[in-house]
Amino acid sequence: MAPADLLSQHRLARPAALVFAALWTAGMLLLRAGEATQALSNFGLSVIALAAGLAALDRARLHGGADRRFWVFLGLAVLFWSAGQMVWTCYESVLGREVPFPSAADGGYLGLPPFAAAAMLSLPLAAPTVAGRVRTLLDGLMVAGSLLLCSWILVLGPVFRSGAEDVLTRTISLAYPIGDVVVITIVCYTWLRSRHAKRRLPVSLPLVGIGLLAFAVSDSGFTFLTTSGLYTSGSAIDLGWFLGFVLILLAALQPYDDQGAGQQPEEVTRPLGNLLPYAAVTVALLTSAAEVLRTSHADVFVSWIRTAIMLLLVVRQVLTLSENQFLTRNLEHRVQERTIELQASRQRFAALVQHSSDVVTVVDPAGTVTYQSRSVERVLGYRPEDLVGRSIYELSPDEEAPALRGALTHAAAEHLRIHTLQTSWRHGSGRLCRVEVTITNLLDNPDVQGLVLNARDVTDRVRLEEQLTEQAFTDSLTGLPNRALFKDRIQHALSRRTTGDATIAVMFMDLDGFKAVNDTLGHSAGDELLVEVAARLRAVVRPGDTVARFGGDEFAILLEEFPTGAYESELASRINDFIREPFDLGAERVHVAASVGIARMDEHARTAEQVLRNADLAMYQAKAAGSGGYVAFRPEMHAGLVERVRLESDLRRAVEREEFVVHYQPMISMRTGDITGVEALLRWQHPERGLIGPNDFVPVAESTGLIRPMGEWILRQACLQTARWQAENPSPTPLRVSVNVSPRQLHHGDLPELVSAVLQESGLAPDRLTLEMTESVLIDNREETLETLTTLHDMGVRLAIDDFGTGYSSLSYLHRFPVDVLKIDRSFVERLSNGGDTALVSTILRLGQSLHIETVAEGIERPQEMLMLRRQGCTTGQGFHFSPPVAAVDLGEMLHEQHRVDAPDERAPA
């Protein structure tokens, strides 16, 4: 059951217990002595004791550790007594017989004291010090001795002297008062230990303690009355038992605070607990004195107990005096240490103020200096005595004095108000220093009675901030504004734009040929070129226009309030003319051009970001159209950008869902006409747009890096499919498959591992795979690329150069790369049939023959092209004349038909 449920039940049970107690007490007081009173007393005590024991055990389920042990022991103690009372009730009220002595009831009654003592001792209490433990032990012994003395005089003595017939009867008779003394002693001892409790107890100690005390007193009274032959059930002594068990029941039903259980509250001190030992000793001494007066002689046992109590009292007082002396000496020592510490702290504070890097000044509300630290001499060049009595405003320039006066007035308006400002103060040498002043209102502080100014020299920091700001908004090479400042200028231009007719435009420019200058002449020459370009741009624009460098070879120009018409186009043309003029870089003369994009602030661009984006798009259009031109932004350019973004998103989804198919174009032997290989060509099966060719999505895949997972996918599919074709159509000359490889794949060093894994997975021999790459691989000429290609070639994989002859310098690098196949571009093949120049095709074929490299002619579409290529020695052809790219199923049928024709007729005679 949850604690909340138990709490709800306990709230109902406590009133019920109180109602039951009130009804039982009223019945006991109203009924006359007799069997009815005996039955009410017997059954009431049985019920209340049973309820208290069960409630204590139920409460134990909410606790753990020592807290649970307390409730278990307490519950068992009360249940033992309840069992004894039930036996008594059975004898007296059910059977109507006199209860024998001793009987089983005594076994139940006597079970309460040991379990109750164990419960009280299991409470998680601890004295804070060794002296505290000794003092608590002495207090407990004093209480125990006092209780034993009283019990001996009132109960134990008469019982001992009663002269019982046998040892068992006398032992049981003495066990009752001894157990009561033990219970009372343990309760008092627990109370004394709880004076310095360090944690919240799992029980209301007053309820349980008073309940056990009430029980013990009634129990001792029962023993005394029984020994005297005066006890009958239903007498007033039963009220003590009943009250004790009602209090224990209420303690068990007390609401459980699971939030506070186990917490470490502040130390709880109980002044009444300190007086308890003295009260017990006083009662014992008064009891023994009354007994002496009554009997006119002193019992030997009483004398010894009194002597022991006196000795304990003396020892306790000596211990208390010693502890007080120790505390006094310790307190004096701590006061002395604290005094020394305060003096040192005061001296340390004075030294820190005098030698601080901050200038500490105290002024009155009028600004007159009342105190000045010596650090002012080091920071501002004044002696402290020169400033005391003068106005603080004398340090400020005339134009900044009002700001300082306002800050002092603001700080003086509220106690402890803190105000900070940055201002200028004159140095003793006459120069101005930037200072940061923190003003604290301590006018109400009797030790200060002024406004405290903490000033520090921040001149170097302010100068550095200005330099950093300049660097943050200025290009360090050319001195032009950078991108951040240029965008800020656009924002200011927009804020100044009062009418819709005001014209604002941005020109975005990129140098054509700058990379070649860097690569050939070095970065120093490139930097010099950029500086010269910046100077020419400043010269060609109006003084009010902003020229900025965005980084690299990108420049931008902001035009404001320019004439209507074609002003931007005319300016772009003049810029191109200026940039085309040669640049003299040392001993070299270089030529570059500029691609310029133009965008206006109009309905298509209402923010700085939008107009920059539009100018950037127009610049790329100009660069694509050819070097040294300009293009004005058109809305369809942005639509193309949106389409590209959408295509990129769809392409990412296509890679995840594998929305691709592979088509294969056969490669034909020019000598036999057989299919000797196939080229794997990727197609995108778009769910909405249908089959899309590679020219529409491969550039996007290249720029986004998606070409790598796409290349891995087509490589695996092509090798698996080729291996299946070979198994279905065995041939003396196994089929080869060509797969295109992107430069991005080659630039990653894991390509050989990928190819090896795919070949192993498919079972295809390495020499059956040809990897095709463009001439840009040769022009790139990276050592990493050469190492990757060499590793692939050593594995047995064939390497082919696609579109050979369209590059700039591939022939000069051909000897460095392990190339097996040259594929002649279709643009050269077309010239064979339309009367064009065929010299380049012949040169490539002779080059392949001399280098023992296979040549493959692409784009063969006419019979005469095939015949001319075959006569010139071309080994393999590919094109629509033979077959377009087809699906894997269709090419499989073509291979099967070729295998059927080439295979010998098994029915023919040998």
Side-chain angles (χ1 to χ4, degrees):
M1 185 179 295
D5 299 334
L6 290 174
L7 179 60
S8 176
Q9 293 184 6
H10 290 172
R11 288 175 177 171
L12 298 176
R14 286 166 65 87
L18 293 175
V19 171
F20 175 75
L23 293 176
W24 184 87
T25 304
M28 291 291 293
L29 295 176
L30 295 177
L31 292 177
R32 295 181 178 179
E35 293 183 358
T37 306
Q38 288 182 351
L40 179 61
S41 174
N42 290 334
F43 283 108
L45 288 173
S46 299
V47 170
I48 199 67
L50 180 62
L54 294 177
L57 292 180
D58 182 64
R59 182 62 176 269
R61 296 189 297 119
L62 301 180
H63 300 273
D67 296 349
R68 171 172 291 186
R69 286 195 298 272
F70 167 80
W71 286 110
V72 170
F73 285 143
L74 185 62
L76 292 176
V78 178
L79 288 179
F80 263 97
W81 196 95
S82 174
Q85 180 62 28
M86 289 179 183
V87 173
W88 180 285
T89 302
C90 184
Y91 272 112
E92 192 171 66
S93 299
V94 177
L95 300 178
R97 295 168 49 189
E98 183 178 352
V99 181
F101 182 77
S103 67
D106 297 305
Y109 291 145
L110 293 176
L112 185 142
F115 280 107
M120 300 302 290
L121 291 175
S122 66
L123 283 173
L125 301 172
T129 62
V130 174
R133 294 190 183 97
V134 174
R135 188 171 58 251
T136 302
L137 179 61
L138 292 174
D139 291 343
L141 292 175
M142 290 166 60
V143 172
S146 301
L147 292 175
L148 181 61
L149 179 61
C150 294
S151 181
W152 178 263
I153 294 173
L154 298 176
V155 181
L156 280 174
V159 171
F160 184 76
R161 292 188 293 269
S162 63
E165 292 79 2
D166 56 78
V167 176
L168 178 61
T169 300
R170 178 175 292 187
T171 302
I172 294 177
S173 298
L174 292 174
Y176 278 99
I178 293 174
D180 297 333
V181 170
V182 170
V183 169
I184 296 175
T185 300
I186 294 299
V187 169
C188 295
Y189 179 69
T190 303
W191 188 269
L192 293 173
R193 292 172 62 211
S194 68
R195 288 177 297 179
H196 303 285
K198 290 296 185 179
R199 69 185 302 273
R200 185 170 298 175
L201 299 179
V203 64
S204 174
L205 192 58
L207 288 178
V208 175
I210 296 173
L212 291 177
L213 289 176
F215 161 82
V217 172
S218 294
D219 209 47
S220 294
F222 164 78
T223 303
F224 178 78
L225 294 176
T226 302
T227 303
S228 305
L230 300 177
Y231 176 76
T232 58
S233 297
S235 62
I237 202 73
D238 294 356
L239 292 174
W241 284 324
F242 192 85
L243 174 63
F245 292 127
V246 167
L247 293 177
I248 293 175
L249 175 61
L250 292 178
L253 296 177
Q254 191 173 21
Y256 173 60
D257 182 12
D258 58 346
Q259 299 296 326
Q263 290 181 348
Q264 301 290 332
E266 294 182 358
E267 183 174 332
V268 180
T269 58
R270 299 181 174 90
L272 293 179
N274 297 328
L275 300 177
L276 181 60
Y278 301 100
V281 170
T282 302
V283 171
L285 293 178
L286 292 175
T287 303
S288 63
E291 179 67 11
V292 170
L293 292 175
R294 186 180 68 82
T295 60
S296 301
H297 70 276
D299 191 304
V300 176
F301 183 79
V302 172
S303 300
W304 280 104
I305 292 296
R306 289 175 61 181
T307 303
I309 292 175
M310 293 302 175
L311 289 175
L312 289 173
L313 186 61
V314 171
V315 173
R316 208 274 189 193
Q317 288 302 112
V318 171
L319 179 64
T320 301
L321 290 174
S322 300
E323 188 175 10
N324 288 340
Q325 291 178 356
F326 172 76
L327 292 176
T328 301
R329 289 193 301 269
N330 186 47
L331 180 60
E332 292 175 350
H333 180 67
R334 291 178 61 187
V335 169
Q336 185 178 5
E337 288 182 343
R338 183 59 177 165
T339 302
I340 296 174
E341 182 181 346
L342 288 175
Q343 292 176 351
S345 177
R346 187 179 298 109
Q347 295 172 358
R348 183 166 54 251
F349 175 75
L352 290 175
V353 170
Q354 295 299 332
H355 299 88
S356 171
S357 58
D358 287 0
V359 177
V360 181
T361 308
V362 181
V363 301
D364 61 15
T368 303
V369 178
T370 60
Y371 170 81
Q372 181 62 66
S373 66
R374 291 195 174 277
S375 54
V376 71
E377 188 171 2
R378 183 178 64 259
V379 177
L380 295 176
Y382 298 99
R383 293 185 302 172
E385 54 269 21
D386 293 340
L387 294 180
V388 174
R390 294 172 56 184
S391 175
I392 193 68
Y393 305 121
E394 295 180 15
L395 298 179
S396 295
D398 294 340
E399 63 274 11
E400 297 195 40
L404 179 59
R405 181 176 288 105
L408 290 175
T409 303
H410 174 73
E414 182 180 341
H415 178 56
L416 295 180
R417 174 175 286 179
I418 299 176
H419 184 71
T420 302
L421 80 157
Q422 192 175 107
T423 184
S424 297
W425 279 358
R426 286 190 184 90
H427 190 272
S429 62
R431 61 183 174 87
L432 287 179
C433 298
R434 293 297 294 176
V435 292
E436 185 178 77
V437 183
T438 301
I439 307 171
T440 306
N441 185 348
L442 296 180
L443 290 169
D444 295 340
N445 189 314
D447 298 324
V448 180
Q449 297 181 353
L451 299 170
V452 180
L453 281 64
N454 288 79
R456 63 180 59 186
D457 186 359
V458 294
T459 305
D460 293 338
R461 190 188 76 186
V462 171
R463 188 177 295 117
L464 178 60
E465 288 175 352
E466 293 173 351
Q467 293 175 357
L468 292 176
T469 301
E470 182 180 356
Q471 293 175 7
F473 291 100
T474 306
D475 176 53
S476 59
L477 177 63
T478 62
L480 296 176
N482 60 10
R483 180 188 292 268
L485 182 57
F486 189 79
K487 289 176 62 176
D488 184 68
R489 295 278 178 86
I490 296 177
Q491 296 290 355
H492 281 80
L494 290 175
S495 64
R496 292 193 298 268
R497 190 180 186 188
T498 56
T499 64
D501 297 334
T503 51
I504 299 176
V506 171
M507 304 178 71
F508 204 90
M509 188 189 82
D510 183 85
L511 294 180
D512 301 322
F514 176 73
K515 186 177 185 300
V517 173
N518 259 347
D519 293 342
T520 56
L521 301 181
H523 290 281
S524 297
D527 292 344
E528 187 179 351
L529 174 63
L530 293 174
V531 172
E532 291 293 332
V533 170
R536 292 187 183 185
L537 290 177
R538 285 196 192 99
V540 76
V541 301
R542 299 173 304 168
D545 297 333
T546 300
V547 180
R549 178 181 174 228
F550 278 15
D553 58 344
E554 294 181 344
F555 293 84
I557 302 173
L558 173 62
L559 306 176
E560 297 184 66
E561 303 296 337
F562 54 87
T564 58
Y567 175 76
E568 312 105 291
S569 301
E570 295 172 358
L571 178 60
S573 180
R574 291 202 307 273
I575 289 174
N576 282 327
D577 293 340
F578 268 68
I579 299 300
R580 285 194 185 96
E581 294 180 6
F583 292 87
D584 293 324
L585 305 179
E588 299 290 337
R589 172 169 287 195
V590 298
H591 294 80
V592 294
S595 296
V596 182
I598 306 170
R600 278 197 178 191
M601 188 71 67
D602 52 19
E603 67 274 8
H604 302 294
R606 302 183 183 276
T607 66
E609 290 290 348
Q610 290 173 347
V611 70
L612 282 173
R613 178 204 63 197
N614 292 348
D616 194 19
L617 288 173
M619 185 272 293
Y620 277 105
Q621 290 288 331
K623 187 176 284 291
S627 176
Y630 61 88
V631 171
F633 173 78
R634 299 185 304 277
E636 54 267 25
M637 295 180 185
H638 183 255
L641 176 62
V642 173
E643 177 63 23
R644 177 184 173 86
V645 173
R646 184 181 297 114
L647 181 64
E648 179 182 338
S649 176
D650 291 348
L651 191 59
R652 292 185 184 277
R653 185 181 64 249
V655 172
E656 295 174 359
R657 300 179 181 179
E658 296 186 354
E659 297 176 351
F660 301 102
V661 295
V662 183
H663 284 189
Y664 300 89
Q665 187 172 29
M667 303 170 72
I668 308 299
S669 171
M670 302 288 274
R671 183 176 59 85
T672 64
D674 292 337
I675 299 175
T676 59
V678 294
E679 181 179 0
L681 301 170
L682 188 63
R683 301 291 187 267
W684 180 7
Q685 188 65 52
H686 196 282
E688 299 176 358
R689 299 166 58 181
L691 199 64
I692 302 177
N695 292 335
D696 294 330
F697 66 86
V698 167
V700 178
E702 286 276 4
S703 63
T704 58
L706 294 174
I707 195 66
R708 291 191 64 210
M710 292 166 56
E712 179 179 350
W713 184 84
I714 189 175
L715 176 66
R716 179 172 284 103
Q717 297 298 319
C719 290
L720 290 172
Q721 182 62 59
T722 304
R724 284 194 292 270
W725 283 333
Q726 287 189 171
E728 295 169 358
N729 306 285
S731 172
T733 56
L735 189 69
R736 287 192 172 97
V737 61
S738 296
V739 180
N740 289 282
V741 177
S742 164
R744 274 184 173 264
Q745 292 175 274
L746 286 172
H747 293 162
H748 286 270
D750 61 347
L751 182 60
E753 289 79 3
L754 172 63
V755 172
S756 177
V758 170
L759 291 175
Q760 185 175 1
E761 176 184 351
S762 62
L764 191 69
D767 61 342
R768 300 295 96 191
L769 173 64
T770 302
L771 298 180
E772 296 186 8
M773 63 212 75
T774 61
E775 282 188 290
S776 61
V777 174
L778 301 181
I779 300 172
D780 184 27
N781 197 25
R782 293 188 182 183
E783 292 297 329
E784 297 84 354
T785 303
L786 177 59
E787 182 179 352
T788 299
L789 294 177
T790 303
T791 303
L792 291 168
H793 193 267
D794 292 342
M795 291 168 52
V797 177
R798 300 192 340 142
L799 303 176
I801 300 300
D802 197 11
D803 300 332
F804 188 78
T806 59
Y808 297 100
S809 55
S810 57
L811 291 178
S812 62
Y813 294 115
L814 185 61
H815 68 280
R816 296 193 62 213
F817 291 83
V819 178
D820 301 290
V821 180
L822 294 180
K823 300 192 73 172
I824 304 173
D825 187 70
R826 60 176 300 173
S827 61
F828 303 126
V829 174
E830 290 177 351
R831 300 177 185 179
L832 299 177
S833 59
N834 58 21
D837 185 13
T838 62
L840 184 57
V841 174
S842 302
T843 301
I844 296 175
L845 291 174
R846 287 197 299 272
L847 177 65
Q849 293 170 3
S850 62
L851 296 178
H852 304 287
I853 296 176
E854 180 183 354
T855 53
V856 177
E858 295 182 295
I860 300 176
E861 297 184 358
R862 298 173 180 83
Q864 58 268 32
E865 295 171 355
M866 181 197 70
L867 294 174
M868 294 180 68
L869 287 166
R870 185 167 62 182
R871 282 198 299 268
Q872 294 187 36
C874 183
T875 57
T876 307
Q878 177 183 350
F880 278 68
H881 173 69
F882 305 109
S883 171
V886 296
V889 176
D890 298 330
L891 188 58
E893 293 179 357
M894 296 169 61
L895 292 172
H896 181 70
E897 179 66 21
Q898 175 178 296
H899 177 70
R900 187 183 63 80
V901 172
D902 293 343
D905 192 346
E906 296 180 354
R907 293 172 299 176

